């Protein structure tokens, strides 16, 4: 009402003075031309220059936020056409960057205050529209529009492209003249579920994981459809609309490997130009299309196994590629500078990988029991260890199907190593812990062991010493009974030894545990619990929450690049015969196993406090920081994580409380309720009937939900992703496959353990070829792009007009900076022995910020790699 009165007064004054007839609104458009990014798109650039003088450039029209047009369904009045000025004369730098263009609008009192604008691109190529800023709008001063979207030629769209001001408002608060525009934009983003999706499309839709198999290539590459069934439930992915394969109508056809970068994702979800040039355009293309086949050729000409640890160290100290066609092909196919970055070559054929942090200070400390145990608290997969609350450990597998799966670890195995405590006393004092890979693996173990993998289900029991470090007490390795699953498990228990053949066997037992933990990490902790479960939130948010909606503005930074990296993963990493199947132990059963584990996924348990309580690693305590008391207070992932969690929760509470003063506002928010309904019933549709979903009736439920989403997309993903190369870049520390069973006395393999334990160890785990492939991939996946945006940062400073949320966000950033200082201080505190460990490697994975590259720290806003 106040706006309308002010608007009327200005109109009266303008009419009296004649100012309305003369007034111009000057604006600045910031965009990035396509030809900045694509040096090969010369034809479109030439056509753009030919047509520009005839006035067929880029047009804009302002849309009123205050005056409706009765001839246009009461939508906002649309102003006169204005055109970008100086399209040709604005010099675009050779390096990818943005350019500013002028635009001048005639002031139209019937438009008054603009709340949106329509843009038409009459050029032949697309551009990336960053912002429009209007200066001196009568009665309103400066008005800013945040766009961040690709705008294709107008003939690619059925409806006009519309962008709104950086105002934030609930659906019920939307100015009347803008409501239809707001609603229609969401309809456009949903699409109609049919037809082939093109590069310029902006459609967000759901599909099952029916694109992992490739039965057209060979029946052995057929894979089950994940999602949409009781047997194989799964989160939904983004629809890509490719036709079905020729041999199986339920499997989507696949793109050729060389076309991987062209897999459909909504245009604005594709990697930005810097990330594309940093990582994908060269690195991933070169890796998949060229380096892996060439490394395989290299391995074919050398022994396929490592003979000694020095052979492994040579990967980081430099290994020679023989002169000849191989080296020539490498030099021909990869630009020299990129070759240096990718494989550290001096141009003369000496290849080397960066030295992983885990062996940088000490080449043998990774082998110690102390480091083996420490990495369960401060390593790559610190989300699985739990308090042991019963002895011997029990199984949750159905005894009707799997027989007796209770652990065979006995009192005699461990009681002499409990620093004078009995087992019951150690349990009572919360001094016993377990890393349990038994139940996850056992149902699949018989099938996995029919592949080249030969491994075990494992349980590792550990004891908390007085100095707060853990020591392993026993490792149980189990196989299915040869007579059938119902006869239970056949198990053997190994206990620590330092010397002789017993010491070598103990090292192998730890290696089998590491193989299991590597697979669990990659498939479950990393892929399933961050990448896969977040994608439905990305899709539902874009389909149901307008860009004007406060929850869209809150969550949007945490979805950056996720759909793109997941689409590429389906194309080259988790697909049948892809990198994961060829380098991680479950082989062709990898994704199927992750589907079975998803059956037990509970959204509310993804909250860090709930996760720690569920694993017995923390107890509620209102007097303790964050309301939790850790059972093991030197647990770096939990200590740092709870500080980050608490900061996120406070920020989300400050933000949501500004827009939602009461529970009733939450319940009556039509977009929010549609979002939450679709997320449950479509995005995680196989879980729609679960009782644990928040009802989304209260402000607290909204705060809790958004906190979990942001935590999973940012900090949890950082904790399980960016340590991959620092810890697992040295494969003996985190082997991903075992090729033979534990040697038995009287066999040649046992004799090898006695005579050459290093070779026996290396012959058991990941082969040279698999190591090269695995290291190449995790090096790239562990890198930060140089344009990364970290937790507490935004790439658009004026993302909202509202001052209170902006102030709260600044407070969030300051809190994260304090947390980073705390982490550095704790890493320097000698009391906390689990923070650095024998390998002298500080725990930095939850430090909020980082520079680009391979750093082992930094929390990006989103699952972006």
């Amino acid at each position: 009402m106040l706006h309308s009165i002010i608007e009327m007064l200005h109109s009266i004054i303008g009419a009296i003075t004649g100012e309305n007839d003369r007034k111009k609104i000057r604006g600045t458009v910031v965009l990035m031309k396509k030809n900045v990014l694509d040096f090969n798109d010369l034809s479109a650039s030439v056509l753009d220059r030919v047509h520009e003088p005839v006035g067929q450039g880029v047009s804009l029209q302002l849309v009123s936020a205050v005056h409706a047009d009765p001839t246009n369904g009461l939508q906002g009045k649309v102003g006169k056409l204005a055109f970008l000025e100086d399209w040709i004369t604005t010099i675009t730098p050779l390096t990818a960057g943005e350019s500013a263009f002028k635009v001048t609008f005639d002031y139209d009192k019937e438009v008054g205050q603009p709340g949106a604008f329509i843009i038409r691109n009459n050029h032949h190529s697309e551009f990336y529209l960053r912002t429009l800023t209007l200066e001196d709008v009568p009665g309103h001063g400066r008005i800013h529009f945040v766009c961040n979207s690709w705008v294709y030629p107008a003939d690619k769209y059925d409806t006009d492209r519309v962008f709104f001001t950086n105002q934030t408002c609930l659906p019920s608060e939307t100015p009347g003249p803008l409501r239809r525009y707001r609603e229609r934009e969401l309809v456009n983003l949903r699409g109609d579920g049919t037809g082939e999706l093109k590069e310029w499309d902006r459609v967000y839709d759901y599909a099952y994981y029916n694109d992992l198999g490739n039965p057209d290539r060979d029946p052995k590459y057929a894979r089950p459809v994940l999602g949409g069934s009781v047997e194989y439930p799964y989160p939904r992915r983004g629809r890509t609309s490719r036709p079905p394969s020729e041999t199986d109508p339920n499997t989507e056809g696949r793109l050729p490997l060389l076309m991987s970068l062209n897999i459909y994702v909504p245009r604005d979800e594709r990697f930005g130009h810097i990330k594309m040039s940093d990582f994908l355009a060269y690195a991933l293309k070169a890796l998949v299309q060229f380096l892996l086949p060439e490394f395989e050729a290299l391995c074919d000409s050398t022994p396929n196994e490592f003979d000694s640890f020095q052979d492994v160290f040579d990967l980081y100290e430099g290994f020679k590629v023989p002169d000849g066609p191989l080296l020539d092909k490498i030099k021909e196919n990869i630009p020299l500078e990129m070759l240096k970055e990718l494989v550290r070559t001096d141009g003369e054929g000496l290849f080397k990988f960066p030295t992983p942090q885990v062996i940088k200070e000490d080449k043998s400390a990774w082998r110690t029991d102390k480091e083996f145990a420490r990495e369960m608290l401060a390593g790559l997969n610190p989300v699985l260890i739990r308090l042991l609350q019963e002895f011997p450990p029990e199984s949750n597998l159905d005894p009707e199907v799997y027989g007796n799966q209770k652990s065979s670890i006995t009192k005699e195995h461990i009681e002499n190593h409990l620093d004078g405590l009995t087992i019951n006393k150690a349990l009572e004092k919360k001094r016993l812990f377990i890393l349990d890979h038994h139940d996850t693996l056992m149902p699949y173990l018989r099938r996995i062991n029919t592949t080249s993998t030969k491994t075990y289900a494992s349980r590792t029991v550990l004891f908390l010493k007085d100095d707060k470090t853990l020591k392993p007490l026993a490792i149980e390795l189990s196989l299915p009974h040869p007579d059938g699953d119902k006869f239970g498990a056949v198990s053997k228990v190994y206990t620590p030894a330092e010397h002789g053949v017993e010491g070598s066997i103990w090292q192998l037992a730890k290696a089998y545990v590491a193989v299991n933990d590597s697979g669990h990490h990659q498939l479950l902790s990393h892929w399933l619990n961050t990448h896969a479960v977040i994608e439905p939130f990305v899709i539902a948010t874009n389909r149901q929450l307008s860009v004007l909606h406060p929850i869209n503005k809150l969550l949007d930074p945490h979805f950056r690049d996720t759909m793109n990296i997941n689409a590429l993963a389906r194309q080259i990493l988790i697909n049948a015969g892809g990198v994961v199947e060829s380098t991680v132990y479950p082989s062709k059963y990898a994704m199927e196993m992750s589907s079975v584990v998803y059956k037990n996924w509970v959204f509310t348990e993804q909250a860090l406090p709930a996760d720690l309580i569920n694993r017995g690693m923390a107890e509620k305590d209102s007097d303790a920081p964050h309301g939790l008391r850790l059972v093991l207070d030197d647990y770096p992932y939990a200590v740092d994580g709870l500080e980050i969690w608490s900061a996120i929760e406070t920020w989300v509470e400050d933000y949501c409380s500004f827009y939602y003063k009461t529970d009733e506002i939450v319940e009556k928010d039509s977009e929010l309720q549609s979002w939450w309904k679709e997320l449950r019933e479509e995005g995680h549709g196989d879980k729609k009937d679960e009782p644990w979903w928040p009802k989304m009736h209260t402000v607290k439920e909204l705060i809790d939900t958004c906190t979990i989403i942001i935590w999973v997309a940012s900090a949890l993903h950082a904790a399980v992703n960016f340590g991959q190369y620092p810890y697992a870049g040295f494969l003996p520390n985190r082997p991903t496959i075992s090729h033979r069973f534990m040697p038995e006395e009287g066999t040649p393999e046992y004799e090898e353990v006695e005579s050459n334990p290093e070779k026996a160890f290396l012959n058991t785990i990941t082969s040279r070829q698999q190591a090269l492939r695995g290291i190449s991939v995790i090096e790239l996946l562990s890198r930060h792009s140089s344009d990364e945006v970290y937790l507490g940062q935004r790439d658009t400073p004026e993302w909202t007009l509202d001052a209170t949320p902006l102030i709260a966000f600044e407070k969030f950033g300051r809190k994260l900076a304090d947390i980073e200082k705390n982490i550095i201080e704790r890493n320097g505190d000698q009391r906390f022995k689990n923070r650095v460990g024998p390998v002298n490697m500080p725990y930095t994975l939850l430090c909020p910020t980082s520079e680009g590259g391979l750093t082992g720290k930094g929390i990006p806003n989103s699952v972006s790699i």
Side-chain angles (χ1 to χ4, degrees), residues 537 601-607 666 672-673 675-677 679-681 687-709:
F537 289 92
W601 182 81
V602 176
F603 173 72
T604 50
E605 291 178 3
Q606 307 313 301
V666 171
L672 185 73
Q673 295 303 325
W675 169 70
W676 194 238
K677 182 177 190 293
L679 188 281
R680 297 189 327 269
E681 296 181 1
K687 293 279 188 177
K688 64 183 177 184
D689 297 322
E690 297 286 1
W692 39 255
W693 284 110
K695 304 299 184 192
M696 205 54 72
H697 290 166
T698 67
V699 178
K700 185 179 187 309
E701 285 180 321
L702 176 61
I703 291 167
D704 291 347
T705 294
C706 292
T707 303
I708 292 172
I709 294 168

Side-chain angles (χ1 to χ4, degrees), residues 175-246:
L178 295 180
R179 282 184 184 168
R180 290 277 296 277
Y181 287 102
R182 176 174 181 154
E183 291 163 2
R184 192 168 61 207
E185 178 69 358
L186 286 174
V187 170
N188 291 338
L189 291 171
R190 289 178 204 134
D192 62 6
T194 65
E196 182 184 355
L197 296 169
K198 303 291 190 182
E199 171 194 329
W200 49 83
D201 281 322
R202 304 163 56 236
V203 171
Y204 294 79
D205 204 355
Y206 301 99
Y208 301 137
Y209 276 72
N210 65 344
D211 62 342
L212 302 178
N214 191 358
D216 290 351
R217 178 182 173 190
D218 190 290
K220 71 179 182 181
Y221 293 112
R223 295 292 180 271
V225 174
L226 305 184
S229 67
V230 174
E231 186 178 10
Y232 298 121
Y234 221 62
R236 303 299 185 256
R237 63 169 177 91
R239 183 172 79 93
T240 49
S241 79
R242 295 194 301 273
S245 66
E246 294 178 7

Side-chain angles (χ1 to χ4, degrees), residues 79 134 198 360 506 609:
L134 304 179
K198 303 291 190 182
K360 194 169 274 187
W506 173 244

Side-chain angles (χ1 to χ4, degrees), residues 47 121 517 676:
L47 283 170
N121 174 8
D517 204 56
W676 194 238

Side-chain angles (χ1 to χ4, degrees), residues 395-403 405:
S395 168
N396 290 319
L397 294 175
D398 184 352
E400 294 289 321
V401 179
Y402 295 103
Q405 295 287 336

Side-chain angles (χ1 to χ4, degrees), residues 187-380:
V187 170
N188 291 338
L189 291 171
R190 289 178 204 134
D192 62 6
T194 65
E196 182 184 355
L197 296 169
K198 303 291 190 182
E199 171 194 329
W200 49 83
D201 281 322
R202 304 163 56 236
V203 171
Y204 294 79
D205 204 355
Y206 301 99
Y208 301 137
Y209 276 72
N210 65 344
D211 62 342
L212 302 178
N214 191 358
D216 290 351
R217 178 182 173 190
D218 190 290
K220 71 179 182 181
Y221 293 112
R223 295 292 180 271
V225 174
L226 305 184
S229 67
V230 174
E231 186 178 10
Y232 298 121
Y234 221 62
R236 303 299 185 256
R237 63 169 177 91
R239 183 172 79 93
T240 49
S241 79
R242 295 194 301 273
S245 66
E246 294 178 7
T247 52
D248 179 7
N250 294 319
T251 297
E252 188 169 274
R254 291 188 57 79
L255 285 176
L257 198 58
L258 294 179
M259 300 291 288
S260 293
L261 293 180
N262 296 334
I263 189 169
Y264 174 80
V265 291
R267 185 61 183 92
D268 292 338
E269 299 298 331
R270 294 184 76 84
F271 288 155
H273 63 286
I274 294 176
K275 182 157 190 168
M276 189 65 88
S277 60
D278 262 7
F279 182 74
L280 277 174
Y282 293 110
L284 199 53
K285 266 183 165 178
L287 180 74
V288 174
Q289 299 167 13
F290 178 70
L291 285 181
L292 293 185
E294 296 312 322
F295 274 147
E296 288 175 19
L298 172 63
C299 292
D300 285 344
S301 63
T302 59
N304 202 38
E305 307 294 345
F306 296 111
D307 293 324
S308 67
F309 287 128
Q310 187 56 49
D311 283 354
V312 186
F313 294 135
D314 285 345
L315 297 179
Y316 319 106
E317 293 163 7
F319 60 98
K320 184 78 174 173
V321 176
D323 288 329
L326 170 61
L327 191 57
D328 292 341
K329 191 175 179 186
I330 288 174
K331 290 178 179 177
E332 286 168 15
N333 280 269
I334 302 182
L336 181 60
E337 289 307 309
M338 187 53 62
L339 185 65
K340 288 179 180 177
E341 177 63 18
L342 272 173
V343 289
R344 310 304 183 284
T345 175
D346 56 6
E348 298 303 321
L350 189 67
F351 283 75
K352 61 196 268 190
F353 291 96
T355 302
Q357 276 178 274
V358 76
I359 56 167
K360 194 169 274 187
E361 299 293 326
D362 187 321
K363 287 185 176 180
S364 61
W366 64 273
R367 302 190 73 175
T368 62
D369 288 358
K370 186 177 286 188
E371 179 62 21
F372 171 72
R374 184 191 80 93
E375 289 184 21
M376 300 176 197
L377 304 171
L380 188 50

